Amino acid sequence: MTDVKIIDVSPRDGLQNDSKIISVKEKVELINRLLKARVSSIEITSFVHPKKVPQMADAELVVQESAKLGSFEAIALVPNYKGFQRLKEFNLSEINWVSSATETFNQKNIGFTIEESLKQFKLIKQEAKQAGIKTNFSIAVSFGCPYEGDVDKSKVVELVERVKEIGVDRITIADTIGIATPNQVKALSEEVLGIVGDTAVAIHLHDTRGLGLANAYSAYEAGIRIFETAVSGIGGCPFAPGAAGNLATEDLVYLFHRMNISTGLDLNELINAADFAANLSSKNPLGRIRHIERNIIREEIK
């Protein structure tokens, strides 16, 4: 049993905004390297319209090929009912349904109002349960929106309450544009944890302004134990101007290992996966730990 759970989202959120089309073979190799690092929960793709996000046009093939790698928690993002219908053809562990804390971002990101998104999710939740697929509801721009600015935490809390009522396996609060500060993360995390009961809560962090690790530690102190990150810190949202990469998985794992907080992951293999991801991406990776001499890292985490 580990102290925290890491969900790596690099094959999806790490690559989705890259202008260079990554091959199915390369995406599956990234997933394989994450598995070697003992990452057991991986967001492998998203079932979105290929014209909206060309990088994810190969979702079916990625799912089929990654299934050959063995058993793991394979997660795919779906933005609408049509995406869910495509996903249902495959034996995936979980869907990640994404909505937003602001109306403008919801329209830009998935083309619905928040109310319409909730109605679709309610339908999908019922079908997913019948199919034995777990559900995660992600709330994008929980701390700040590129179109509406600061987000009042009461908006996020109201969404959490409504999602909790519908029923879900996990709720994720996401700092989509990397604008949050540690005090904001702590306050929102504590409030959300106070109302969800036994529903799991995760946090999804971007490192746009270099506060990713500080925000992750603040979330941990507040009681969050599930973190969404991407190896090498690649990523960004096509519909969020100014958003940079995710918090690097290896950086967070290094922090936790130094603090004797168990993750169950192999940091050395994780850095190998991060190097591979950095070479795949045409973006500037934000991860820091992989640039340090490996022997030094091994010595520090003994």
Side-chain angles (χ1 to χ4, degrees), residues 22-214:
I22 314 300
S23 71
V24 171
K25 183 178 179 180
E26 289 169 319
K27 290 173 182 175
V28 173
E29 178 58 24
L30 173 57
I31 295 166
N32 184 46
R33 288 176 185 242
L34 291 171
L35 292 173
K36 285 181 179 178
R38 299 201 292 268
V39 181
S40 60
S41 296
I42 306 170
E43 191 174 63
I44 61 174
T45 191
S46 61
F47 286 85
V48 297
H49 196 293
K51 288 184 179 178
K52 293 282 188 181
V53 187
Q55 189 68 253
M56 298 290 111
D58 55 9
E60 284 86 354
L61 288 173
V62 169
V63 171
Q64 289 171 347
E65 292 303 308
S66 63
K68 299 173 183 177
L69 299 175
S71 178
F72 67 99
E73 292 182 352
I75 304 166
L77 181 144
V78 291
N80 51 41
Y81 186 73
K82 190 171 183 179
F84 177 68
Q85 292 300 106
R86 289 170 60 198
L87 177 146
K88 270 206 314 182
E89 300 299 315
F90 303 96
N91 186 29
L92 285 162
S93 303
E94 181 180 294
I95 67 164
N96 179 19
W97 178 266
V98 61
S99 189
S100 307
T102 69
E103 290 289 356
T104 308
F105 193 80
N106 218 57
Q107 288 283 3
K108 296 278 188 181
N109 194 33
I110 58 175
F112 301 134
T113 65
I114 294 172
E115 196 63 39
E116 288 168 338
S117 181
L118 285 168
K119 284 180 181 177
Q120 284 209 32
F121 177 70
K122 192 171 184 179
L123 176 63
I124 284 169
K125 170 65 179 69
Q126 293 169 346
E127 292 193 26
K129 187 174 182 179
Q130 291 171 355
I133 304 170
K134 291 189 287 188
T135 51
N136 175 59
F137 192 103
S138 289
I139 304 174
V141 298
S142 289
F143 299 92
C145 172
Y147 306 104
E148 296 187 24
D150 293 340
V151 175
D152 193 302
K153 64 182 171 66
S154 64
K155 289 185 176 182
V156 181
V157 169
E158 181 186 352
L159 256 178
V160 168
E161 288 173 336
R162 295 187 67 183
V163 173
K164 169 69 176 171
E165 189 177 339
I166 293 170
V168 69
D169 294 292
R170 184 172 68 253
I171 296 171
T172 298
I173 51 177
D175 183 19
T176 309
I177 61 172
I179 193 71
T181 57
N183 60 318
Q184 291 174 319
V185 170
K186 189 170 189 290
L188 182 57
S189 297
E190 288 177 342
E191 193 153 352
V192 169
L193 287 168
I195 62 175
V196 295
D198 58 359
T199 302
V201 177
I203 191 162
H204 177 109
L205 296 167
H206 285 253
D207 205 21
T208 310
R209 291 160 179 81
L211 296 177
L213 276 179

